[in-house]
C-alpha cells in the first residue's frame, strides 16, 4: 500500500508538469494573437498608443497576480504612513512588528498586513507543485 501511495504521488506530480506544459503552449498562442492584434492596430490606427492597445485586451482579473497586488498595496500603505524606512528586508518579521507596533500608523499597517496574509501569502515563490516548497507565510 505504501508503494502505491508513492507511485500515485509521482504520477500526480508528472501530471502537474504536463498541465504546466499545456498551459505555456496555450499561453504562447495567446501572446501570438496579442502581437498580431498589436501590429494590426499600429498599422490601421497609426496614432493609437501602446497603452490603449493594452487596455483593449486587459479585461481579465488574474487571481494568480493577487499576491503581488497585495504586496504593492502594503508597500503603498507603508509609504503613505511614513513607515517605509522601518520595513526593510534585512529584518525578520518579528523585529519589524516590534519596531512599528507602538505607533498608530504601525498598528494600521500591521492590521493590513495580517488581513493580506490569509489567503494571499499562502503563495509559493517557486512553481508550487510539490509539498516541500515554502510559501510567503512560511518565510515572512
Amino acid at each position: 500500500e505504501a508503494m502505491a501511495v508513492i507511485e500515485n504521488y509521482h504520477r500526480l506530480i508528472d501530471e502537474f508538469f504536463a498541465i504546466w506544459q499545456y498551459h505555456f503552449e496555450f499561453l504562447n498562442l495567446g501572446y501570438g494573437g496579442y502581437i498580431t492584434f498589436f501590429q494590426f492596430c499600429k498599422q490601421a490606427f497609426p496614432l493609437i498608443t501602446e497603452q490603449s492597445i493594452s487596455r483593449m485586451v486587459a479585461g481579465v482579473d488574474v487571481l494568480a497576480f493577487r499576491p503581488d497586488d497585495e504586496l504593492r498595496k502594503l508597500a503603498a500603505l507603508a509609504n503613505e504612513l511614513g513607515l517605509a524606512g522601518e520595513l526593510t528586508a534585512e529584518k525578520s518579521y518579528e523585529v519589524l512588528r516590534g519596531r512599528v507596533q507602538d505607533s498608530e500608523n504601525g498598528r494600521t499597517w500591521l492590521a493590513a498586513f495580517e488581513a493580506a496574509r490569509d489567503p494571499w501569502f499562502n503563495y509559493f515563490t517557486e512553481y508550487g507543485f510539490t509539498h516541500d516548497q515554502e510559501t510567503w507565510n512560511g518565510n515572512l
Side-chain angles (χ1 to χ4, degrees):
E1 289 300 317
M3 196 63 198
V5 171
I6 292 169
E7 288 171 355
N8 286 327
Y9 176 76
H10 286 289
R11 192 177 50 158
L12 176 66
I13 298 303
D14 289 343
E15 294 295 327
F16 277 137
F17 283 122
I19 291 168
W20 198 240
Q21 183 63 36
Y22 293 138
H23 163 80
F24 278 105
E25 288 178 16
F26 283 108
L27 189 63
N28 286 333
L29 290 173
Y31 285 145
Y34 173 74
I35 290 169
T36 301
F37 179 71
F38 185 89
Q39 290 172 336
F40 165 77
C41 288
K42 286 303 245 183
Q43 289 173 354
F45 312 104
L47 299 178
I48 194 168
T49 65
E50 293 174 5
Q51 184 68 32
S52 294
I53 300 170
S54 295
R55 285 186 182 139
M56 283 191 264
V57 297
V60 177
D61 182 20
V62 179
L63 198 60
F65 297 148
R66 182 74 183 269
D68 288 331
D69 293 340
E70 293 297 322
L71 282 180
R72 285 186 194 91
K73 287 181 200 174
L74 289 168
L77 182 60
N79 279 325
E80 180 184 314
L81 297 172
L83 298 171
E86 297 291 327
L87 305 172
T88 62
E90 297 100 32
K91 309 281 188 295
S92 71
Y93 174 66
E94 291 76 24
V95 169
L96 294 175
R97 187 180 64 215
R99 290 180 75 171
V100 300
Q101 70 185 357
D102 292 333
S103 72
E104 184 65 33
N105 284 355
R107 287 188 295 276
T108 299
W109 188 86
L110 286 170
F113 179 84
E114 290 299 328
R117 281 183 70 181
D118 186 21
W120 305 115
F121 283 19
N122 294 317
Y123 183 78
F124 296 96
T125 54
E126 296 182 53
Y127 52 84
F129 289 154
T130 57
H131 70 281
D132 60 340
Q133 294 176 0
E134 199 165 41
T135 65
W136 291 359
N137 264 328
N139 183 5
L140 292 173

